[in-house]
Amino acid sequence: MKLQRKNRVRALAVGALAVSGALALTACGSDDTTGANGGGGSAKASNIKCEGKGKLLASGSSAQKNAMDVWVQNYSGTCKDTEINYQPTGSGAGVTTFLQGQTAFAGSDSALKPEEVTKSKQVCKGGQAIDLPMVGGPIAVGYNVPGVDDLVLDAPTLSKIFNSEITKWNDKAIQKLNPDAKLPDLKIQAFHRSDDSGTTDNFTKYLKAAGGWKHEPAKKWEGEGGQAASGSAGVSSQVKQTSGAISYFELSYATSSKIPTVKLNTGAKEPVEATVDNASKAISEAKQVGKGDDLALQLNYTTKADGAYPITLVTYEIACDKGNKAETLPATKSFLTYVSSKDGQAALKELGYAPLPTEIADKVRATVAKIS
């Protein structure tokens, strides 16, 4: 089944694919979670322009690992002289490594902080690092509760669960949200990321904005108690194998591991499921807050619109606008041109991610073309 799925994904990325329904942006921007580029693409060899030779090093967000795997596979299949080596070390580690000049670009689920932009000028000679949104999607809350395959939670309850204030699955707060469920007298095993993570940053921003989270949102986990695991693969694996477990990770990890996900009571008419389409409705309210060629976005975590799933993230590729190293610039531009193209974006939805909408995709492509 895994091989069949992999072949199907590759066929979608390599063969002709029509992706419909572009997501409208509020103000200047939003990253879409299902939105399309409008149109299909054929990732044929003639459509990928190979530039540069040798090894291109990059690291960061584990949220986009599954997307990167397909992108690298497709690109490397055409550009035989270039090896793309992307390590899913987590957003924090990826940004740190990039700012040390060790990688050509980084993946991060959070936009750069002002102090990081300032520091980047030491690496980007004559320029600075910029945020290029490349992947959008929902952060699913996966769980493993025997006998419960339909679970509704809200932001305040999730905040208490992940801060060790609610410790049993049959707690009254959970029962109130799930009156028909047979909730067991079972200890809650809450897992969080051990590494600095943009997924953690976005998840805790949601908890803070909508659920009264007692800590400041950050890439580093600040909640009390719980257990830690590395990367999205690590926490999703723990949920899969641990009775009573709950954690947060990108939808693609839940889908691939067949982990049930929480529906959110947001105040809308019905609880909202974690799907690409539902996340896109929330992301449609995002606004571009980056200046100039920086395309950082501000997401709305408190939407109550029907069918809008508010726990979302955008993964950025972080690169120098100017001052890239001569030996890596050609391959960096070539690879980022492909992943932001219609062909590169067409593979995302099948993986549980969101292709960029036309408006923001056009900006990303234009910006990548100017990288020097």
Side-chain angles (χ1 to χ4, degrees), residues 51-57 82 101 104 323-333:
E51 299 285 353
K53 296 182 179 180
K55 182 178 290 187
L56 190 67
L57 299 178
T82 305
N324 287 275
K325 295 179 180 178
E327 61 269 27
T328 59
L329 173 61
T332 298
K333 287 189 69 170

PDB file of all heavy atoms in Angstrom, residues 51-57 82 101 104 323-333:
ATOM      1  N   GLU A  51      20.024  23.905 -12.896  1.00  0.00           N
ATOM      2  CA  GLU A  51      21.146  24.846 -12.782  1.00  0.00           C
ATOM      3  C   GLU A  51      22.026  24.405 -11.626  1.00  0.00           C
ATOM      4  O   GLU A  51      21.538  23.945 -10.594  1.00  0.00           O
ATOM      5  CB  GLU A  51      20.644  26.272 -12.522  1.00  0.00           C
ATOM      6  CG  GLU A  51      19.751  26.845 -13.618  1.00  0.00           C
ATOM      7  CD  GLU A  51      20.526  27.260 -14.850  1.00  0.00           C
ATOM      8  OE1 GLU A  51      21.770  27.219 -14.803  1.00  0.00           O
ATOM      9  OE2 GLU A  51      19.892  27.619 -15.859  1.00  0.00           O
ATOM     10  N   GLY A  52      23.317  24.571 -11.782  1.00  0.00           N
ATOM     11  CA  GLY A  52      24.231  24.233 -10.702  1.00  0.00           C
ATOM     12  C   GLY A  52      24.529  22.755 -10.640  1.00  0.00           C
ATOM     13  O   GLY A  52      23.821  21.931 -11.216  1.00  0.00           O
ATOM     14  N   LYS A  53      25.589  22.430  -9.923  1.00  0.00           N
ATOM     15  CA  LYS A  53      26.010  21.048  -9.764  1.00  0.00           C
ATOM     16  C   LYS A  53      26.442  20.810  -8.317  1.00  0.00           C
ATOM     17  O   LYS A  53      26.693  21.753  -7.567  1.00  0.00           O
ATOM     18  CB  LYS A  53      27.167  20.722 -10.710  1.00  0.00           C
ATOM     19  CG  LYS A  53      26.825  20.800 -12.182  1.00  0.00           C
ATOM     20  CD  LYS A  53      28.024  20.421 -13.032  1.00  0.00           C
ATOM     21  CE  LYS A  53      27.682  20.477 -14.518  1.00  0.00           C
ATOM     22  NZ  LYS A  53      28.834  20.101 -15.368  1.00  0.00           N
ATOM     23  N   GLY A  54      26.514  19.546  -7.955  1.00  0.00           N
ATOM     24  CA  GLY A  54      26.984  19.200  -6.624  1.00  0.00           C
ATOM     25  C   GLY A  54      25.865  19.047  -5.619  1.00  0.00           C
ATOM     26  O   GLY A  54      24.709  18.829  -5.973  1.00  0.00           O
ATOM     27  N   LYS A  55      26.219  19.163  -4.335  1.00  0.00           N
ATOM     28  CA  LYS A  55      25.268  18.927  -3.250  1.00  0.00           C
ATOM     29  C   LYS A  55      24.713  20.246  -2.720  1.00  0.00           C
ATOM     30  O   LYS A  55      25.458  21.179  -2.447  1.00  0.00           O
ATOM     31  CB  LYS A  55      25.942  18.156  -2.118  1.00  0.00           C
ATOM     32  CG  LYS A  55      25.012  17.815  -0.948  1.00  0.00           C
ATOM     33  CD  LYS A  55      25.714  17.006   0.120  1.00  0.00           C
ATOM     34  CE  LYS A  55      26.022  15.613  -0.376  1.00  0.00           C
ATOM     35  NZ  LYS A  55      26.559  14.759   0.730  1.00  0.00           N
ATOM     36  N   LEU A  56      23.389  20.308  -2.570  1.00  0.00           N
ATOM     37  CA  LEU A  56      22.719  21.472  -1.991  1.00  0.00           C
ATOM     38  C   LEU A  56      22.177  21.073  -0.625  1.00  0.00           C
ATOM     39  O   LEU A  56      21.307  20.212  -0.516  1.00  0.00           O
ATOM     40  CB  LEU A  56      21.574  21.930  -2.899  1.00  0.00           C
ATOM     41  CG  LEU A  56      20.936  23.282  -2.556  1.00  0.00           C
ATOM     42  CD1 LEU A  56      21.924  24.418  -2.794  1.00  0.00           C
ATOM     43  CD2 LEU A  56      19.669  23.500  -3.375  1.00  0.00           C
ATOM     44  N   LEU A  57      22.712  21.689   0.425  1.00  0.00           N
ATOM     45  CA  LEU A  57      22.311  21.347   1.788  1.00  0.00           C
ATOM     46  C   LEU A  57      21.206  22.277   2.281  1.00  0.00           C
ATOM     47  O   LEU A  57      21.265  23.498   2.091  1.00  0.00           O
ATOM     48  CB  LEU A  57      23.514  21.454   2.724  1.00  0.00           C
ATOM     49  CG  LEU A  57      24.707  20.539   2.425  1.00  0.00           C
ATOM     50  CD1 LEU A  57      25.834  20.808   3.418  1.00  0.00           C
ATOM     51  CD2 LEU A  57      24.298  19.074   2.458  1.00  0.00           C
ATOM     52  N   THR A  82      22.763  17.432  -9.613  1.00  0.00           N
ATOM     53  CA  THR A  82      22.529  18.130  -8.344  1.00  0.00           C
ATOM     54  C   THR A  82      21.912  17.196  -7.317  1.00  0.00           C
ATOM     55  O   THR A  82      20.921  16.518  -7.600  1.00  0.00           O
ATOM     56  CB  THR A  82      21.589  19.332  -8.543  1.00  0.00           C
ATOM     57  OG1 THR A  82      22.121  20.197  -9.545  1.00  0.00           O
ATOM     58  CG2 THR A  82      21.428  20.119  -7.246  1.00  0.00           C
ATOM     59  N   GLY A 101      25.363  29.950   8.240  1.00  0.00           N
ATOM     60  CA  GLY A 101      25.933  29.839   6.908  1.00  0.00           C
ATOM     61  C   GLY A 101      26.222  28.430   6.449  1.00  0.00           C
ATOM     62  O   GLY A 101      26.973  28.218   5.499  1.00  0.00           O
ATOM     63  N   ALA A 104      22.010  26.200   2.339  1.00  0.00           N
ATOM     64  CA  ALA A 104      21.606  27.132   1.286  1.00  0.00           C
ATOM     65  C   ALA A 104      20.256  27.769   1.576  1.00  0.00           C
ATOM     66  O   ALA A 104      19.999  28.918   1.213  1.00  0.00           O
ATOM     67  CB  ALA A 104      21.569  26.413  -0.057  1.00  0.00           C
ATOM     68  N   GLY A 323      23.148  38.078  -1.953  1.00  0.00           N
ATOM     69  CA  GLY A 323      24.323  37.611  -1.235  1.00  0.00           C
ATOM     70  C   GLY A 323      24.408  36.123  -1.031  1.00  0.00           C
ATOM     71  O   GLY A 323      25.140  35.640  -0.157  1.00  0.00           O
ATOM     72  N   ASN A 324      23.666  35.348  -1.827  1.00  0.00           N
ATOM     73  CA  ASN A 324      23.797  33.895  -1.763  1.00  0.00           C
ATOM     74  C   ASN A 324      25.188  33.478  -2.236  1.00  0.00           C
ATOM     75  O   ASN A 324      25.804  34.147  -3.061  1.00  0.00           O
ATOM     76  CB  ASN A 324      22.737  33.232  -2.643  1.00  0.00           C
ATOM     77  CG  ASN A 324      21.348  33.310  -2.047  1.00  0.00           C
ATOM     78  OD1 ASN A 324      20.956  32.494  -1.243  1.00  0.00           O
ATOM     79  ND2 ASN A 324      20.583  34.332  -2.461  1.00  0.00           N
ATOM     80  N   LYS A 325      25.668  32.371  -1.728  1.00  0.00           N
ATOM     81  CA  LYS A 325      26.983  31.879  -2.130  1.00  0.00           C
ATOM     82  C   LYS A 325      26.960  31.495  -3.600  1.00  0.00           C
ATOM     83  O   LYS A 325      26.024  30.850  -4.076  1.00  0.00           O
ATOM     84  CB  LYS A 325      27.379  30.680  -1.270  1.00  0.00           C
ATOM     85  CG  LYS A 325      27.574  31.017   0.203  1.00  0.00           C
ATOM     86  CD  LYS A 325      27.933  29.771   1.013  1.00  0.00           C
ATOM     87  CE  LYS A 325      28.117  30.111   2.492  1.00  0.00           C
ATOM     88  NZ  LYS A 325      28.416  28.908   3.307  1.00  0.00           N
ATOM     89  N   ALA A 326      28.006  31.873  -4.304  1.00  0.00           N
ATOM     90  CA  ALA A 326      28.076  31.633  -5.752  1.00  0.00           C
ATOM     91  C   ALA A 326      27.947  30.157  -6.097  1.00  0.00           C
ATOM     92  O   ALA A 326      27.336  29.789  -7.112  1.00  0.00           O
ATOM     93  CB  ALA A 326      29.380  32.197  -6.307  1.00  0.00           C
ATOM     94  N   GLU A 327      28.489  29.289  -5.250  1.00  0.00           N
ATOM     95  CA  GLU A 327      28.490  27.865  -5.564  1.00  0.00           C
ATOM     96  C   GLU A 327      27.124  27.203  -5.355  1.00  0.00           C
ATOM     97  O   GLU A 327      26.865  26.118  -5.888  1.00  0.00           O
ATOM     98  CB  GLU A 327      29.551  27.127  -4.747  1.00  0.00           C
ATOM     99  CG  GLU A 327      29.377  27.204  -3.238  1.00  0.00           C
ATOM    100  CD  GLU A 327      30.115  28.381  -2.599  1.00  0.00           C
ATOM    101  OE1 GLU A 327      30.325  29.397  -3.293  1.00  0.00           O
ATOM    102  OE2 GLU A 327      30.471  28.263  -1.415  1.00  0.00           O
ATOM    103  N   THR A 328      26.235  27.850  -4.574  1.00  0.00           N
ATOM    104  CA  THR A 328      24.927  27.245  -4.327  1.00  0.00           C
ATOM    105  C   THR A 328      23.770  28.029  -4.939  1.00  0.00           C
ATOM    106  O   THR A 328      22.655  27.512  -5.028  1.00  0.00           O
ATOM    107  CB  THR A 328      24.665  27.111  -2.809  1.00  0.00           C
ATOM    108  OG1 THR A 328      24.723  28.406  -2.192  1.00  0.00           O
ATOM    109  CG2 THR A 328      25.685  26.187  -2.163  1.00  0.00           C
ATOM    110  N   LEU A 329      24.007  29.251  -5.368  1.00  0.00           N
ATOM    111  CA  LEU A 329      22.928  30.090  -5.897  1.00  0.00           C
ATOM    112  C   LEU A 329      22.189  29.446  -7.070  1.00  0.00           C
ATOM    113  O   LEU A 329      20.948  29.395  -7.054  1.00  0.00           O
ATOM    114  CB  LEU A 329      23.471  31.459  -6.300  1.00  0.00           C
ATOM    115  CG  LEU A 329      22.477  32.390  -7.021  1.00  0.00           C
ATOM    116  CD1 LEU A 329      21.276  32.686  -6.134  1.00  0.00           C
ATOM    117  CD2 LEU A 329      23.182  33.691  -7.447  1.00  0.00           C
ATOM    118  N   PRO A 330      22.870  28.944  -8.103  1.00  0.00           N
ATOM    119  CA  PRO A 330      22.139  28.395  -9.252  1.00  0.00           C
ATOM    120  C   PRO A 330      21.189  27.259  -8.865  1.00  0.00           C
ATOM    121  O   PRO A 330      20.027  27.240  -9.282  1.00  0.00           O
ATOM    122  CB  PRO A 330      23.255  27.909 -10.184  1.00  0.00           C
ATOM    123  CG  PRO A 330      24.433  28.748  -9.830  1.00  0.00           C
ATOM    124  CD  PRO A 330      24.339  28.926  -8.350  1.00  0.00           C
ATOM    125  N   ALA A 331      21.677  26.306  -8.063  1.00  0.00           N
ATOM    126  CA  ALA A 331      20.835  25.167  -7.678  1.00  0.00           C
ATOM    127  C   ALA A 331      19.708  25.603  -6.747  1.00  0.00           C
ATOM    128  O   ALA A 331      18.587  25.078  -6.828  1.00  0.00           O
ATOM    129  CB  ALA A 331      21.688  24.092  -7.011  1.00  0.00           C
ATOM    130  N   THR A 332      19.996  26.563  -5.859  1.00  0.00           N
ATOM    131  CA  THR A 332      18.955  27.062  -4.950  1.00  0.00           C
ATOM    132  C   THR A 332      17.808  27.670  -5.743  1.00  0.00           C
ATOM    133  O   THR A 332      16.624  27.369  -5.510  1.00  0.00           O
ATOM    134  CB  THR A 332      19.529  28.109  -3.979  1.00  0.00           C
ATOM    135  OG1 THR A 332      20.543  27.508  -3.181  1.00  0.00           O
ATOM    136  CG2 THR A 332      18.439  28.659  -3.067  1.00  0.00           C
ATOM    137  N   LYS A 333      18.128  28.541  -6.684  1.00  0.00           N
ATOM    138  CA  LYS A 333      17.091  29.176  -7.500  1.00  0.00           C
ATOM    139  C   LYS A 333      16.343  28.144  -8.338  1.00  0.00           C
ATOM    140  O   LYS A 333      15.113  28.194  -8.456  1.00  0.00           O
ATOM    141  CB  LYS A 333      17.712  30.239  -8.420  1.00  0.00           C
ATOM    142  CG  LYS A 333      18.142  31.502  -7.713  1.00  0.00           C
ATOM    143  CD  LYS A 333      18.550  32.590  -8.697  1.00  0.00           C
ATOM    144  CE  LYS A 333      17.362  33.120  -9.479  1.00  0.00           C
ATOM    145  NZ  LYS A 333      17.724  34.324 -10.261  1.00  0.00           N
TER     146      LYS A 333
END
